[in-house]
Amino acid sequence: MAKITAGVGCSHTPAIGAAVDLGKTETDYWRPMFEGFEASKKWIKEAAPDVVIMVYNDHNNAFDFKMIPTFAVGCADEFPIADEGWGARPVPIVKGYRELAAHIVQSVILDEFDLTIVNEMEVDHGLTTPMSLMFGEPEAWPVRVIPIAVNVVQYPPPTGNRCYNLGKALKKAVESWDEDLNVMIFGTGGMSHQIQGPRAGLINKEFDKNFLDDLSRDPERLKDIAHLEYMREAGAEAVELVMWLVMRAALGEKVDEVYRFYHVPASSTGVGHIILNADNNE
Ligand code: DHB
Ligand code: FE
């Protein structure tokens, strides 16, 4: 049986990918941030997932204002890297797992979640930045990836509660796939950030810390945080944190915190990072 063994919460700020691609990870600005992911890279290499379900958001690259699905599952064999305006990142193509993605889509839709099936899709920094942070710079990515793109760019995004319930449905879907697979799930984006307007640069460390604390201690509180509260307290783009709730709920009721890291500054973002083992991962 496949099972979700662990979850990773992780920033996806595009400047991080640019720092990797331009060889700037050792500069004074970036070194402290990348050092925080050294232990994570070791951990994931040892834990050796077969598949990563990547809950991320597209930033008007695969989709645009003509069409914005709320939850879109990438069911292709491969996902090319998007050109976001300065050329595609020089990272390996992302390999999917079509059969498992199709199974997840069937299980979750029949569970009454109306996902969008996407058979052709490019992936942007929302997905590739976490890959670089966790897997470094390999010739080929060591895992297959099932992208789940969540709309957080145009109002209204899904509620935290809806995301939390999607996580539960994903757990059920993975556990009904009859192949021994080590599956991990990433929730990406956040933490506090506001990248435009008079409040640009807003960071709320206390909000971020409480969010990280309650991922293991009280996720039921987090699922009820309203969009306006994210935006008021932690900046407009902090609403990306609803994607971490998909990850959290897919791990089951209890989790063990393996690792945590928090760092400011990195572009406009409070870089938050957490690794949680699922309760079935003995
Ligand atoms: C930044 C962060 C994001 O999540 C994003 O999608 C774009 C920019 C930033 O910190 O600059
Ligand atoms: Fe983003």
Side-chain angles (χ1 to χ4, degrees), residues 19-41:
V20 171
D21 300 342
L22 299 172
K24 297 199 167 171
T25 59
E26 294 297 324
T27 60
D28 289 347
Y29 182 86
W30 285 111
R31 194 186 317 106
M33 206 276 326
F34 283 99
E35 273 175 2
F37 284 84
E38 282 307 312
S40 312
K41 282 197 264 187

Side-chain angles (χ1 to χ4, degrees), residues 213-265:
D213 285 346
D214 282 349
L215 276 175
S216 32
R217 208 173 51 191
D218 189 6
E220 300 281 320
R221 175 184 79 84
L222 300 183
K223 78 177 171 51
D224 293 327
I225 296 175
H227 294 140
L228 275 177
E229 188 177 341
Y230 283 111
M231 295 171 78
R232 186 183 61 232
E233 297 300 321
E237 281 75 31
V239 83
E240 290 180 345
L241 283 168
V242 294
M243 297 184 288
W244 292 44
L245 300 177
V246 182
M247 175 275 284
R248 174 59 191 85
L251 302 177
E253 263 179 47
K254 286 202 220 81
V255 290
D256 282 329
E257 183 171 327
V258 177
Y259 182 67
R260 180 194 292 208
F261 176 65
Y262 184 76
H263 177 80
V264 178

Side-chain angles (χ1 to χ4, degrees), residues 11-14 57-59 124-126 152-153 188-190 193 195 237 240 243 269:
S11 167
H12 68 213
T13 309
N57 68 290
D58 178 72
H59 304 74
D124 74 5
H125 69 266
V152 292
V153 297
T188 77
H193 62 309
I195 58 180
E237 281 75 31
E240 290 180 345
M243 297 184 288
T269 310

